[in-house]
């Protein structure tokens, strides 16, 4: 009788053990990288949900968890604006600084408006041209899918540090952890660049105008071919200025849109202005 009761208990136990073996073998066959990525992504999403209302939580970008780490990039840089360049077709955002937007205006020492965003881009272009090539090491991917990096000229001078020290960009504490704060105080004391007059911090300017000139890759995709209703041409000139051309303007027909350079079509002037582009003069 005792043996029979033992057999009755051990039968289900053996069945449960046997049923678990295929599951264990299945988990063993899953690549460890996939397991790690799944766990990390889930943890990040849970953390972001739980701490959504906490101001202490930094932005979580799953691309930084799953995308491979790119190698350093070196080459002749094309200036997009005061804090963004392009090398070999790769858009690169400088780590830890923020420059005035392309359409942003500031006031000079006399209180007169001027295009501080365009001036910042021009200063960067001249600075990079003095010692080529430019070399950038990867830091992270931003929420727009851009390569964020620390860049230096061929002579080793830090591009971000030079831009802040010369008043052409600001230290961005949200991302820099104050790395350029001392250089910014030096520029402020010397009243160079934008510090010679008055201005809005670029991040405040963007918030006020409800647009970030750097459009998210998943929103308002760049159109290679214009639909009939979206016929305004958003062009980026050699100085990095973002200009839109309307049908009937002098340079409209000869303007070619190259989406790989960040150029795009717009469906209305309101849309173009909100994105930080200005109208062509003719």
């Amino acid at each position: 009788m005792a043996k029979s009761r033992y057999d009755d208990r051990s039968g289900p136990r053996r069945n449960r053990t046997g049923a678990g073996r295929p599951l264990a073998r299945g988990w063993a066959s899953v690549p460890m990288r996939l397991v790690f990525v799944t766990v990390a992504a889930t943890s990040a999403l849970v953390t972001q949900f739980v701490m959504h209302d906490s101001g202490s939580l930094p932005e979580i970008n799953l691309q930084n968890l799953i995308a491979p780490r790119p190698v350093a990039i070196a080459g002749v840089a094309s200036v997009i604006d005061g804090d963004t360049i392009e090398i070999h077709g790769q858009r690169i955002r400088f780590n830890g600084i923020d420059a005035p937007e392309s359409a942003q205006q500031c006031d000079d020492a006399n209180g007169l408006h001027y295009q501080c965003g365009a001036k910042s881009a021009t200063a960067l272009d001249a600075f990079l041209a003095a010692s080529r090539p430019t070399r950038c090491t990867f830091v992270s991917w931003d929420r727009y899918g851009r390569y964020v990096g620390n860049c230096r000229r061929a002579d080793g001078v830090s591009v971000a540090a030079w831009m802040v020290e010369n008043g052409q960009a600001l230290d961005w504490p949200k991302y820099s952890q104050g790395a350029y704060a001392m250089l910014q105080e030096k520029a402020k004391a010397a009243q160079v660049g934008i510090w010679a007059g008055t201005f809005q911090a670029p991040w405040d300017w963007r918030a006020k105008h409800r647009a970030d000139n750097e459009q998210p890759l998943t929103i308002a995709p760049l159109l290679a071919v214009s639909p009939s209703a979206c016929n305004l041409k958003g062009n980026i000139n050699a100085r990095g200025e973002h200009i839109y051309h309307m049908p009937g303007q002098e340079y409209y027909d000869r303007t070619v849109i190259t989406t790989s350079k960040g150029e795009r079509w717009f469906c209305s002037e309101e849309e173009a202005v909100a994105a930080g582009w200005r109208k062509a003069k003719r």
Side-chain angles (χ1 to χ4, degrees):
M1 181 67 70
K3 185 175 184 300
S4 176
R5 284 198 301 271
Y6 177 79
D7 288 343
D8 289 343
R9 289 194 301 269
S10 64
R13 189 174 304 162
R14 284 196 300 272
N15 289 338
R16 287 195 298 271
T17 303
R21 285 172 185 162
L23 179 61
R25 286 196 297 269
W27 276 106
S29 66
V30 176
M32 288 305 298
R33 175 176 171 79
L34 179 58
V35 174
F36 171 77
V37 169
T38 302
V39 172
T42 303
S43 299
L45 289 173
V46 170
T47 301
Q48 187 164 358
F49 175 78
V50 172
M51 300 184 67
H52 177 72
D53 294 327
S54 172
S56 62
L57 182 68
E59 292 177 356
I60 296 174
N61 187 341
L62 294 183
Q63 188 174 6
N64 285 315
L65 296 175
I66 62 177
R69 186 179 182 86
V71 298
I73 298 175
V76 176
S78 298
V79 172
I80 305 304
D81 57 32
D83 52 38
T84 308
I85 59 175
E86 188 172 288
I87 300 177
H88 301 319
Q90 175 64 63
R91 191 66 59 91
I92 302 169
R93 179 68 158 78
F94 299 144
N95 181 47
I97 70 170
D98 200 9
E101 293 295 320
S102 297
Q104 186 172 347
Q105 291 190 341
C106 302
D107 290 345
D108 63 17
N110 298 314
L112 300 176
H113 297 315
Y114 72 99
Q115 296 291 130
C116 51
K119 189 170 183 178
S120 174
T122 299
L124 174 61
D125 188 56
F127 172 71
L128 295 179
S131 181
R132 290 172 171 163
T134 302
R135 177 181 174 83
C136 299
T137 55
F138 178 78
V139 174
S140 68
W141 297 107
D142 72 4
R143 61 195 178 110
Y144 300 104
R146 291 172 307 181
Y147 179 119
V148 178
N150 291 319
C151 301
R152 294 181 178 274
R153 293 194 315 186
D155 59 8
V157 178
S158 166
V159 179
W162 186 89
M163 290 293 286
V164 173
E165 186 175 9
N166 286 273
Q168 300 299 336
L170 298 182
D171 173 72
W172 200 352
K174 183 178 179 180
Y175 300 106
S176 70
Q177 298 180 337
Y180 306 104
M182 292 184 65
L183 292 175
Q184 180 164 291
E185 287 302 314
K186 181 179 177 181
K188 184 177 180 180
Q191 297 184 330
V192 295
I194 57 178
W195 295 104
T198 58
F199 61 91
Q200 271 190 310
W203 50 86
D204 290 334
W205 187 92
R206 288 192 296 268
K208 180 178 179 180
H209 290 77
R210 293 185 174 184
D212 191 329
N213 190 37
E214 302 134 73
Q215 294 290 325
L217 296 184
T218 56
I219 300 175
L222 305 180
L223 303 174
V225 179
S226 167
S228 58
C230 301
N231 56 3
L232 276 66
K233 295 182 177 181
N235 172 253
I236 301 174
N237 67 20
R239 295 189 296 275
E241 297 174 311
H242 292 60
I243 303 170
Y244 66 89
H245 299 261
M246 299 182 65
Q249 288 191 290
E250 181 176 351
Y251 295 106
Y252 181 86
D253 291 335
R254 70 180 72 175
T255 298
V256 177
I257 299 304
T258 306
T259 58
S260 62
K261 294 181 179 180
E263 297 175 334
R264 56 175 295 189
W265 294 88
F266 291 103
C267 300
S268 68
E269 286 194 80
E270 290 76 15
E271 180 188 0
V273 172
W277 301 60
R278 69 169 177 83
K279 185 178 181 179
K281 295 179 180 179
R282 54 181 183 173

